[in-house]
C-alpha cells in the first residue's frame, strides 16, 4: 500500500469497505445500462470531495489504459458496441471500488475491526496481508539481483526460473513469515479471543455518515431508476 | 496415538497463511485485467489465476496441515476480492468450505500429501462450477450465454483450468518436499 495515497481526513474504514462493496455490485450489475457511467462519475466525485483526492487521481491512468485495452479486445471479439461499453463500465467500477482500499491505512482498518470485536485471527491476517504487498516487491527485486550475481540472467529457461528464482523466493517467504510470527508474538498478539485495548479508537463522524448516505443514495438511484 | 481432526491455529500458522494469501493475491493481480473478457471467454479469470492459487495454497497446506487452513487462506484472499468483486468473495469462500468438507470426509484432514493434492485439484475447477451456479441462480443471461455459445471453448477452458491446477499442486508438493528436506519448511 502506498502511504502517499492515504486520505487527508480518513474515511471511517467500515464505511469505506461498505462503499466499495456497493459500488462494485452496482457497477457490475448496471454495466450495460446508459446511466452507469453517470453513476461511476458521481461516485468518483464523492470520493474526491470526501478527502480521497490522491487515490482518486492515482486510479485514473490505470483505469484509462485498462479501459482502452479491454474495450478494444471486447470489441474485436464481439463486434458489439454495447459489450465494449459494458466492459469499460466494469473496469471503471472495479477501479473506483478500489479507491477506499487505497485511501484507508491498514492500521486504521485494523483498529476499526478490533473495536467492532471482529475475531483477532481475521484482523491479524488482514493487517499482515495488507502490509506484505510492498515487502513482496522488494523481495522479488532482491532475488532477481541474486540471480544476476550468480549469472542466471534469463527467466525464460524453466530450469533457471525454478532453481534460481522460485525456490529462493519461497524460502524467503517462509523465513519472513517466521520472523513476522515472532515479532507479532513479542508484541502480545494472540490468535485467541483474549481481551485487548485500542488506544486510538476510530469513531464515526458526521462527514462519514454523509458520505455513506450519498453512496447509498447513488447506488439505489442507479438500480431503481 | 489418536490424531486430532480439528486443531487450533497458532499465531505462526495464521501469519504463514496470511503471507501465502498475500503472495497469491499479488500474483493473481492479472485477474482484474481479464475480468472484462468474462462475458466473452468462459472461465478466463479462473484460468489466469489457477496455477498461482494451486501452487501457493499447496505450500500453505503442506506447512499448516490443519483442517480449516484452506478456508483461512481463502478468507484472507476473499476479503480483498470483496473490495473488487463481491461475487468472487462468495465463490472463493463457498468453494473452500466444500473442499474442506470433502477432504474431511475422504482423508480426515491434510496429513497426507494426496489430501493436499486432491484439495488443490478440486479447488479451481469447483470455482468454475460455483460461477455457473451463481449465474443460474441469479439469472445473468449474458454470463450463461458464454457457456453455451462456444461449447468447445468452454470444454477447453475447463480442461486448461484443471491442468493448471494439477501442475500447480504438483509443483507445490515438489518444492515443499525439497524445503522440508532442507529444514526450511518446519511443521
Amino acid at each position: 500500500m502506498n502511504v502517499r495515497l492515504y486520505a487527508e481526513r480518513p474515511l471511517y474504514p467500515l464505511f469505506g469497505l461498505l462503499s466499495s462493496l456497493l459500488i462494485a455490485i452496482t457497477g457490475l450489475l448496471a454495466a450495460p445500462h446508459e446511466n452507469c457511467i453517470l453513476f461511476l462519475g458521481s461516485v468518483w466525485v464523492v470520493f474526491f470531495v470526501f478527502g480521497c483526492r490522491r487515490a482518486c487521481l492515482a486510479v485514473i491512468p490505470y483505469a484509462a489504459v485498462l479501459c482502452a485495452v479491454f474495450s478494444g479486445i471486447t470489441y474485436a471479439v464481439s463486434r458489439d458496441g454495447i459489450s465494449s461499453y459494458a466492459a469499460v463500465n466494469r473496469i471503471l467500477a472495479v477501479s473506483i471500488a478500489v479507491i477506499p482500499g487505497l485511501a484507508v491505512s491498514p492500521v486504521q482498518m485494523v483498529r476499526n475491526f478490533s473495536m467492532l470485536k471482529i475475531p483477532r485471527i481475521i484482523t491479524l491476517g488482514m493487517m499482515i496481508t495488507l502490509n506484505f504487498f510492498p515487502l513482496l516487491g522488494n523481495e522479488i527485486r532482491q532475488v532477481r539481483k541474486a540471480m544476476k550475481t550468480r549469472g542466471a540472467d534469463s527467466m525464460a529457461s524453466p530450469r533457471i526460473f525454478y532453481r534460481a528464482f522460485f525456490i529462493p523466493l519461497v524460502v524467503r517467504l517462509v523465513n519472513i513469515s517466521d520472523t513476522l510470527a515472532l515479532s507479532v508474538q513479542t508484541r502480545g498478539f494472540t490468535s485467541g479471543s483474549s481481551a485487548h485495548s485500542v488506544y486510538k479508537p476510530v469513531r464515526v463522524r458526521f462527514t462519514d455518515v454523509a458520505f455513506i448516505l450519498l453512496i447509498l443514495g447513488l447506488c439505489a438511484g442507479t438500480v431503481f431508476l | 496415538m489418536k490424531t486430532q481432526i480439528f486443531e487450533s491455529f497458532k499465531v505462526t500458522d495464521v501469519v504463514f497463511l496470511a503471507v501465502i494469501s498475500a503472495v497469491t493475491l499479488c500474483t493473481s493481480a492479472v485477474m482484474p485485467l481479464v475480468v472484462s473478457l468474462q462475458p466473452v471467454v468462459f472461465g478466463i479469470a479462473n484460468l489466469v489465476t489457477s496455477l498461482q492459487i494451486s501452487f501457493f495454497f499447496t505450500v500453505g497446506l503442506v506447512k499448516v496441515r490443519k483442517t480449516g487452513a484452506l478456508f483461512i487462506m481463502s478468507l484472507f484472499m476473499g476479503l480483498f476480492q470483496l473490495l473488487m468483486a463481491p461475487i468472487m468473495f462468495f465463490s472463493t469462500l463457498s468453494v473452500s468450505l466444500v473442499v474442506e468438507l470433502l477432504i474431511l470426509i475422504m482423508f480426515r484432514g491434510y496429513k497426507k500429501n494426496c489430501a493436499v493434492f486432491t484439495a488443490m485439484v478440486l479447488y479451481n475447477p469447483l470455482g468454475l462450477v460455483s460461477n455457473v451456479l451463481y449465474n443460474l441462480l441469479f439469472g445473468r443471461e449474458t454470463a450463461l450465454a458464454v457457456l453455451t455459445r462456444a461449447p468447445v471453448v468452454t470444454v477447453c477452458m475447463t480442461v486448461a483450468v484443471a491442468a493448471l491446477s494439477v501442475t500447480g499442486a504438483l509443483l507445490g508438493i515438489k518444492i515443499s518436499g525439497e524445503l522440508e528436506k532442507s529444514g526450511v519448511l518446519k511443521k
Side-chain angles (χ1 to χ4, degrees), chain A residues 94-157:
Chain A
V94 171
S95 307
I96 293 171
V98 164
I99 292 174
L102 294 173
V104 176
S105 77
V107 175
Q108 197 82 346
M109 201 173 271
V110 170
R111 275 184 199 144
N112 190 195
F113 281 9
S114 296
M115 282 184 71
L116 296 169
K117 308 271 183 231
I118 288 174
R120 206 82 181 124
I121 198 167
I122 296 177
T123 53
L124 188 65
M126 204 167 170
M127 192 168 70
I128 291 164
T129 312
L130 277 168
N131 286 310
F132 195 75
F133 296 135
L135 204 69
L136 182 69
N138 199 30
E139 285 308 318
I140 290 174
R141 269 191 295 277
Q142 281 192 4
V143 174
R144 292 292 305 271
K145 271 184 193 168
M147 277 177 74
K148 278 184 188 161
T149 313
R150 293 164 71 191
D153 286 334
S154 170
M155 291 272 271
S157 157

Side-chain angles (χ1 to χ4, degrees), chain B:
Chain B
M1 205 174 79
K2 204 175 174 184
T3 50
Q4 260 190 313
I5 295 176
F6 295 103
E7 291 173 73
S8 61
F9 286 89
K10 293 181 210 153
V11 173
T12 42
D13 299 333
V14 178
V15 171
F16 186 72
L17 295 177
V19 166
I20 289 291
S21 308
V23 180
T24 314
L25 210 59
C26 282
T27 52
S28 303
V30 283
M31 202 274 292
L33 304 180
V34 296
V35 81
S36 63
L37 295 176
Q38 272 283 78
V40 186
V41 186
F42 174 77
I44 184 88
N46 298 66
L47 184 81
V48 296
T49 56
S50 52
L51 183 70
Q52 305 92 300
I53 290 177
S54 56
F55 170 72
F56 286 113
F57 277 18
T58 302
V59 176
L61 288 176
V62 170
K63 172 108 194 297
V64 185
R65 290 180 186 267
K66 292 176 181 174
T67 307
L70 181 65
F71 179 73
I72 289 179
M73 285 191 283
S74 303
L75 180 71
F76 290 155
M77 215 170 86
L79 283 171
F80 294 92
Q81 290 174 335
L82 192 63
L83 296 169
M84 296 176 284
I87 302 142
M88 274 164 49
F89 169 74
F90 295 112
S91 164
T92 307
L93 284 200
S94 54
V95 167
S96 70
L97 277 175
V98 170
V99 174
E100 288 276 6
L101 201 68
L102 285 172
I103 295 300
L104 204 61
I105 294 165
M106 291 195 294
F107 302 97
R108 295 171 68 84
Y110 297 103
K111 299 286 173 228
K112 293 173 188 165
N113 274 352
C114 59
V116 174
F117 178 76
T118 312
M120 287 336 298
V121 168
L122 288 173
Y123 190 79
N124 289 308
L126 277 178
L128 284 175
V129 177
S130 83
N131 282 349
V132 173
L133 280 177
Y134 173 85
N135 291 316
L136 269 174
L137 283 172
F138 295 99
R140 290 183 66 195
E141 290 86 5
T142 44
L144 280 176
V146 73
L147 189 76
T148 47
R149 198 188 302 141
V152 181
V153 176
T154 305
V155 172
C156 287
M157 292 299 272
T158 311
V159 171
V161 167
L164 285 173
S165 301
V166 171
T167 313
L170 286 174
L171 202 63
I173 288 173
K174 187 175 160 37
I175 289 190
S176 304
E178 285 191 33
L179 298 184
E180 270 179 342
K181 260 187 215 166
S182 63
V184 177
L185 207 68
K186 292 175 231 95
K187 282 177 195 168

Side-chain angles (χ1 to χ4, degrees), chain A residues 16-59:
Chain A
L17 197 72
L18 189 68
S19 66
S20 289
L21 207 68
L22 288 168
I23 294 160
I25 293 173
T26 314
L28 294 175
L29 282 176
H33 299 286
E34 283 171 17
N35 57 358
C36 185
I37 197 88
L38 284 175
F39 159 72
L40 295 169
S42 315
V43 167
W44 187 88
V45 172
V46 170
F47 278 127
F48 195 86
V49 170
F50 279 85
C52 306
R53 289 185 189 90
R54 291 185 204 129
C56 279
L57 295 173
V59 295

